[in-house]
Amino acid sequence: MKKVGIIMGSDSDLPVVRKAIDTLASFDVPYEVHIYSAHRTPVQAQSFTASARENGFGVLICAAGMAAHLAGAVAANTTLPVIGIPMSSSNLGGMEALLSTVQMPSGIPVATVAIGGAVNAALLAMEMLAISDEALAEKLAAKRASDTAAVLAKNAAVEAEFNK
Ligand code: RP5
């Protein structure tokens, strides 16, 4: 199976990024985790990205905050699909990272999830890999069904309590 590459701009992003890592691990999907910054370590970010396809990656997840150029800079150097996670900040709450990540110029796409949307980033990455992996597609469908059942159980409990 192709690997998911997870890149974050700083170790301060790890508490949120860990949710993506844990989600991938729960599906036994192979991944690598790196800290590369579009601004602080641009050469390393470019080098990793340029060789990502030949190194067995199928999709890249990039998490960055503030002037969040990481996902866009990575996408500029590969035709692998790139998923951006805008990270929250103390000053602007992540809106700056959201806009920096999502507002890509035509020709260089970044699939942007919600601010801090690490679980969805992992799920979306796996949905991309599952296009050509039927076993993974079945695992994703099973998780969706189990999530639906959990919500319906909560609904049943609320209805039983309030709808006399
Ligand atoms: C971004 O700047 C990082 O992705 C992080 O979200 C933010 C702050 O980084 P630190 O100053 O905490 O290293 O590049």
Side-chain angles (χ1 to χ4, degrees):
M1 187 189 301
K2 299 278 190 191
K3 292 180 288 186
V4 178
I6 303 176
I7 310 170
M8 66 196 101
S10 167
D11 63 342
S12 66
D13 299 320
L14 185 54
V16 170
V17 170
R18 196 178 290 281
K19 297 177 195 169
I21 298 168
D22 290 346
T23 302
L24 294 170
S26 73
F27 281 82
D28 293 320
V29 167
Y31 59 82
E32 284 186 19
V33 184
H34 300 273
I35 297 172
Y36 294 129
S37 165
H39 306 122
R40 293 166 173 160
T41 60
V43 172
Q44 290 78 5
Q46 195 275 341
S47 171
F48 172 83
T49 304
S51 57
R53 186 184 292 277
E54 68 198 53
N55 286 333
F57 292 95
V59 51
L60 303 176
I61 294 173
C62 298
M66 302 181 75
H69 300 132
L70 180 61
V74 164
N77 285 296
T78 183
T79 53
L80 290 174
V82 174
I83 300 169
I85 309 174
M87 300 296 298
S88 185
S89 69
S90 54
N91 292 327
L92 297 172
M95 276 303 295
E96 78 284 39
L98 172 61
L99 297 177
S100 300
T101 304
V102 77
Q103 288 290 82
M104 288 297 294
S106 180
I108 310 293
V110 169
T112 305
V113 296
I115 297 168
V119 171
N120 273 359
L123 291 172
L124 182 56
M126 290 190 286
E127 289 178 356
M128 291 171 176
L129 296 181
I131 291 170
S132 58
D133 186 328
E134 191 55 40
L136 181 56
E138 287 174 11
K139 285 167 89 170
L140 287 165
K143 180 199 173 358
R144 185 73 66 89
S146 127
D147 288 352
T148 299
V151 173
L152 290 175
K154 290 176 185 173
N155 174 60
V158 164
E159 288 181 348
E161 181 176 352
F162 297 108
N163 301 350
K164 307 283 185 200

